[in-house]
Amino acid sequence: MTAVSTESLQGAEGRNGNYPGKGIGAPVGVAVLGMGTVGTEVLRLIHEFSSSLENRIGGPIEVRGVAVSDLTKKRDVLDNFPGITLTDNAHELVEREDVDVVVEVIGGIDYPRELVLSALKHGKSVVTANKALIAAHADEISDAANAAGVDLYYEAAVAAAIPVVGMLRRSLAGDQVQRISGIVNGTTNFILDAMASTGASYEEALAEATRLGYAEADPTADVEGHDAASKAAILASMGFHTRVTYNDVHAEGITNITADDIEAARLAGYTIKLLAICERLVDDEGATTVSARVHPTLVPNEHPLATVDKSYNAVFVEAEAAGRLMFYGNGAGGAPTASAVLGDIVGAARNKIHGGRAPAENPYAHYPVADFGDVPTRYHIDMAVVDRVGVLAEISRRFADQGISISAVRQEEHGDDSRLIVVTHASLERKLAAIVEELKTLDDVRAINSVIRLDG
Amino acid sequence: MTAVSTESLQGAEGRNGNYPGKGIGAPVGVAVLGMGTVGTEVLRLIHEFSSSLENRIGGPIEVRGVAVSDLTKKRDVLDNFPGITLTDNAHELVEREDVDVVVEVIGGIDYPRELVLSALKHGKSVVTANKALIAAHADEISDAANAAGVDLYYEAAVAAAIPVVGMLRRSLAGDQVQRISGIVNGTTNFILDAMASTGASYEEALAEATRLGYAEADPTADVEGHDAASKAAILASMGFHTRVTYNDVHAEGITNITADDIEAARLAGYTIKLLAICERLVDDEGATTVSARVHPTLVPNEHPLATVDKSYNAVFVEAEAAGRLMFYGNGAGGAPTASAVLGDIVGAARNKIHGGRAPAENPYAHYPVADFGDVPTRYHIDMAVVDRVGVLAEISRRFADQGISISAVRQEEHGDDSRLIVVTHASLERKLAAIVEELKTLDDVRAINSVIRLDG
């Protein structure tokens, strides 16, 4: 481990001490961990907006150091920061006495977890864009922030610059959130939108997304719903004041969605979106649980989420007093993510200078997380059935016997077979899953083409 | 002036002192000024959510008193607040030592201004939903809050529970806002939407809005754009860190919009919306000014603002790093407005208990407000012209002579006359206004049917 500096540390500190300032506040020392797309953009904006930031904070931001894994790489943006430390020893950097705010934009879980915990323990406020870290370890990290009395910000962890975290933390702090449903993964929205608008297969749309940079070389985390699940955990935690972690979220991805599914949805007036759905559920005895889940969902075309195209994100919130709110924008990318990080840096820096702490994650409500089987959902079941009189009656009876109410049925001739689409009313997920298993055993049912949940 | 109380003050204080609490913080005393729709809903929610609010704040909210103009009126919600003071002496209430946060939901300007200034002077934080007050006197009121070191919150002043003020104050604090355009008046959006969807005249749609409670008995403030102008002033002030007041906003209402205008817009692929537009303008020499204006605007149907129907509000923000963001929801009504007020109360109460201050209005940038004539706009000019060869050439020449570039022309036969629609590219407002005056003098132009600006 080595540290390089274009000026001596002595020099850097001298410069800070001589900061002309405006007599309004001491400089706030910032350490940036990670110089990928987001970290580089954060540094670029700190430089570009330095005068604005100083005015908004009430004191200047001084970047003390940047931690990277590869010290040899040329990084042009650092030319704007003469004298700062470029180091591969992130642990040393986060402990430095002249660092007040640590910005973690490395990604991953275990390594940033160590760094963030160390930073908090050393009294630094932390700003992170790391959804996986927060969704896995919010408890431990929040506790460390509370113990140290410092700030923990992570607006950029969900939907980049769309300020959903701040909205749940502050704007709706006097309200009761009932439900949050959102498109929080741009890659899958791009793929589903491309399939819907061009008729492409999943594989073709994924290839296009990869070619255009919307999907990573290994798209697993996006297309399997893991990324959206992290965000759902964070949204549910903030919205319901209850600790919901990544492991509490039922996640299904979009890899099984076919061009046929998209076309069938279109004909029925729906658009298929990968939704993160967070719900407060109250049972007949008045007991409250919460649910967080991610799955492909049929959204009625007239619902605002249905029109969210390309790689855009949108989050729909229903609160008791506020009613329905929707927030829309770029949910990923270097600049939008950096915007959210910068907003958090300003918040943390203001508090360092003026005192006070941002509202922390506050899981006072301690609602149990509902088992996915106990969550009410609606199914859109597309099956191939034998074309004979009485099939519909027989299948309908099966639903009725299970106490599942049918909302709509559509039957189409296809040669010897008939295509039967059944849309249910809301029923418990476990009952709906069971009826699908039962349908598979019927001689009249040749195949279950697809089962997609329906919302709105 | 008298004060009535269902318990003695002594009793109320005793009760506070004995508050069982959770050992987490002293009670925060709140005074509510005004018991109209919003004030009543605020009190209802404080009661309904009391346990949640206590957990989120870190201490209980105690309503100390409510000021009203009519003490004799029966107010059921007060049954939930035994022992509080109901008074018509608001001045006395805001000075009370056991009041920490004053909530102003009276409306009007002069009387609430006195009360808010007195509250701030006495060290109380203030939460107000009063757009007219903030748009007229932000300078004086912010200065008083800063002098006292207390909080001044007004999320509910713009678009109710849609958290645009918080978003500009905090979430985008590390970004550079370029432009804000929004539908911020529900009454006029209801009227324009009704005209577009039913073909109704302005008068018919206004009557319907009045019947349904979307328009007040005297709709002037809404339909003439005054209400939206107050909100534009606040948005521009927050977004550009510059003091923009109501008088700085150029405002035009919707009273001249005809069913013909709506139909012509529809045929051309546009929807007419009353937009508040706040812009940062940089001239050729790099000098920056800001503009805030309200006027009927042709919005392309594919723009997200075009689909905002009924009395909904939506605010579209363009920032350098975040890109385009949109926020959508109920922009008025008792419950949504109360949700925003409650969120602010939680913020102010947290700061009272834990220290710190919310970011205040901070007009450090001091950009001059551009004269409306110097703002680039686009015109959609609908005129009746004589049906003779050469008319289009003559009119086009007039535009060219003034250096105004034409984006599109459409000509239709109407008996002896011809209808000519000219859509310009962006040009200075004063030049566009001048060409309209010039067109009026031409023998070939029988009438200017309408002039509507175009955006997006």
Side-chain angles (χ1 to χ4, degrees), chain B residues 111-160:
Chain B
Y111 179 51
R113 172 181 158 273
E114 283 170 29
L115 293 170
V116 162
L117 288 173
S118 168
L120 294 168
K121 213 180 84 187
H122 286 86
K124 323 299 185 191
S125 288
V126 167
V127 173
T128 174
N130 193 328
K131 71 216 88 168
L133 174 64
I134 297 296
H137 296 294
D139 47 356
E140 186 184 19
I141 295 175
S142 292
D143 290 350
N146 290 336
V150 294
D151 282 326
L152 171 64
Y153 281 93
Y154 44 87
E155 180 62 70
V158 184

Side-chain angles (χ1 to χ4, degrees), chain A residues 68 171 229:
Chain A
V68 295
S171 311

Side-chain angles (χ1 to χ4, degrees), chain A residues 185 187-188 216 218-229 246 253 274:
Chain A
N185 180 272
T187 305
T188 47
E216 293 180 47
D218 176 1
T220 312
D222 292 318
V223 299
E224 296 293 357
H226 305 161
D227 172 85
Y246 175 81
L274 184 70

Side-chain angles (χ1 to χ4, degrees), chain A residues 53-356:
Chain A
L53 295 174
E54 176 170 343
N55 276 295
R56 295 174 194 181
I57 291 166
I61 282 183
E62 301 252 326
V63 179
R64 308 295 190 200
V66 178
V68 295
S69 53
D70 178 2
L71 285 171
T72 61
K73 203 167 155 187
K74 170 86 180 104
R75 302 171 195 271
D76 294 337
V77 72
L78 293 181
D79 295 347
N80 300 314
F81 297 92
I84 68 160
T85 304
L86 184 68
T87 178
D88 58 5
N89 189 339
H91 275 284
E92 206 173 272
L93 181 60
V94 303
E95 295 180 15
R96 260 174 61 169
E97 222 169 83
D98 62 351
V99 167
D100 303 298
V101 178
V102 169
V103 178
E104 187 274 304
V105 284
I106 303 173
I109 297 190
D110 293 337
Y111 179 51
R113 173 181 157 274
E114 283 170 28
L115 293 170
V116 163
L117 287 173
S118 168
L120 294 169
K121 214 180 82 185
H122 286 85
K124 323 300 186 190
S125 287
V126 167
V127 173
T128 174
N130 192 329
K131 70 216 88 171
L133 174 64
I134 297 296
H137 296 293
D139 47 356
E140 185 184 22
I141 295 174
S142 292
D143 290 349
N146 290 336
V150 295
D151 281 326
L152 170 65
Y153 281 92
Y154 44 87
E155 181 61 71
V158 184
I162 309 175
V164 284
V165 173
M167 182 260 306
L168 293 170
R169 261 190 188 198
R170 299 180 186 272
S171 311
L172 290 172
D175 208 326
Q176 202 82 266
V177 174
Q178 312 288 15
R179 197 170 201 270
I180 305 167
S181 52
I183 295 165
V184 293
N185 180 272
T187 305
T188 47
N189 203 56
F190 181 91
I191 292 171
L192 292 171
D193 184 45
M195 291 174 74
S197 54
T198 67
S201 69
Y202 168 75
E203 289 73 19
E204 289 164 345
L206 171 61
E208 176 74 357
T210 309
R211 198 179 63 77
L212 295 173
Y214 289 113
E216 293 180 47
D218 176 1
T220 312
D222 292 318
V223 299
E224 296 293 357
H226 305 161
D227 172 85
S230 288
K231 293 163 180 170
I234 295 171
L235 291 175
S237 297
M238 305 295 300
F240 305 136
H241 299 275
T242 283
R243 210 149 261 173
V244 179
T245 66
Y246 175 81
N247 289 328
D248 294 322
V249 182
H250 173 90
E252 299 173 26
I254 64 164
T255 54
N256 294 327
I257 301 294
T258 65
D260 271 358
D261 294 334
I262 303 265
E263 178 62 8
R266 194 184 64 78
L267 291 174
Y270 293 98
T271 303
I272 299 180
K273 295 293 188 188
L274 184 70
L275 293 195
I277 300 175
C278 309
E279 247 178 335
R280 178 196 300 272
L281 303 166
V282 182
D283 73 11
D284 294 343
E285 281 85 49
T288 301
T289 56
V290 298
S291 158
R293 55 193 192 269
V294 171
H295 51 66
T297 313
L298 290 157
V299 180
N301 284 340
E302 56 277 12
H303 191 285
L305 289 176
T307 59
V308 175
D309 62 359
K310 304 197 185 80
S311 66
Y312 282 101
N313 280 200
V315 177
F316 201 79
V317 179
E318 293 165 67
E320 184 173 326
R324 302 169 131 215
L325 298 167
M326 192 172 93
F327 305 82
Y328 166 94
N330 286 305
T337 308
S339 171
V341 169
L342 261 282
D344 283 353
I345 293 175
V346 169
R350 280 192 78 254
N351 291 345
K352 287 284 178 189
I353 291 181
H354 305 288

